[in-house]
Amino acid sequence: MTTMTWMTHSEEDTKQFGEKLGGLLQAGDVLTLEGDLGAGKTTFTKGLAKGLGVKRTVNSPTFTIIKEYMGRLPFYHMDVYRLEDSDEDLGFEEFFNGEGVTVVEWSQFIEDYLPEERLELTIEYVDETSRKISVAARSPHFEQVCKEMSS
Ligand SMILES: Nc1ncnc2c1ncn2[C@@H]1O[C@H](COP(=O)(O)OP(=O)(O)OP(=O)(O)O)[C@@H](O)[C@H]1O
Ligand SMILES: [Mg+2]
């Protein structure tokens, strides 16, 4: 398993990181996002959506848990924060096994449903404007994506 870390020094920086990553994704990709409240998960996701060619504004799906967008691929944005302490299955597999790209904020709350082949991202607060993004590639495809991110 390849692991890498990046530092970003502004909100815009994190969006650009997401945008570059979004350009490298393919149908069926699943990305998980861990990190405290306000770490930058949604900020990253906005950039990722842009990199996938999504034109609509991406907002936190707090009340819906899953929001769908269309770019060069379908894009599914999940925020499962409210599923902490519940083992409710909202049909996640249909999204994970579908033809789109899925990003899951607070993925640790649905650990049992996550596919093995995934890109795991953890965003940590460093200071007011800096974040550390740690990435673990859990498939050969994502190892390749990581390589391209660092080149
Ligand atoms: N380098 C950075 N990268 C990302 N966000 C940053 C950075 N520096 C400052 N910020 C600020 O941190 C906040 C991140 O908020 P965001 O909604 O993306 O977090 P989140 O992890 O999705 O939180 P939640 O768990 O509530 O969904 C924003 O206010 C953003 O402006
Ligand atoms: Mg969020």
Side-chain angles (χ1 to χ4, degrees):
M1 186 179 64
T2 304
T3 59
M4 299 182 99
T5 60
W6 280 267
M7 289 291 298
T8 66
H9 299 286
S10 67
E11 177 177 333
E12 197 46 43
D13 230 6
T14 295
K15 282 187 186 160
Q16 278 172 13
F17 173 82
E19 187 176 346
K20 183 173 179 192
L21 185 53
L24 301 172
L25 298 179
Q26 62 188 37
D29 281 355
V30 176
L31 279 66
T32 62
L33 287 176
E34 296 190 19
D36 292 340
L37 285 167
K41 301 180 293 299
T42 300
T43 301
F44 161 84
T45 304
K46 285 173 191 272
L48 189 96
K50 195 174 174 200
L52 280 168
V54 172
K55 302 284 182 232
R56 268 169 65 205
T57 303
V58 170
N59 289 311
S60 200
T62 310
F63 296 106
T64 43
I65 298 187
I66 301 169
K67 276 197 190 172
E68 300 188 29
Y69 300 87
M70 197 44 148
R72 70 178 163 83
L73 294 168
F75 174 53
Y76 312 120
H77 181 198
M78 301 185 187
D79 184 328
V80 298
Y81 183 66
R82 289 188 308 137
L83 299 184
E84 184 177 15
D85 302 324
S86 100
D87 50 17
E88 200 173 353
D89 182 354
L90 299 175
F92 301 116
E93 257 138 69
E94 261 181 65
F95 294 94
F96 297 152
N97 298 331
E99 284 303 296
V101 167
T102 309
V103 167
V104 190
E105 295 191 37
W106 295 100
S107 55
Q108 64 268 39
F109 295 156
I110 60 161
E111 192 88 61
D112 293 347
Y113 300 105
L114 298 174
E116 246 158 63
E117 302 212 336
R118 60 190 193 245
L119 190 69
E120 288 179 345
L121 296 97
T122 305
I123 307 180
E124 287 169 273
Y125 180 99
V126 177
D127 64 32
E128 215 162 300
T129 54
S130 299
R131 301 292 188 270
K132 179 180 167 190
I133 305 177
S134 309
V135 178
R138 295 192 170 275
S139 77
H141 160 60
F142 285 125
E143 288 184 359
Q144 189 57 37
V145 167
C146 275
K147 262 186 215 155
E148 286 173 44
M149 281 302 286
S150 48
S151 64

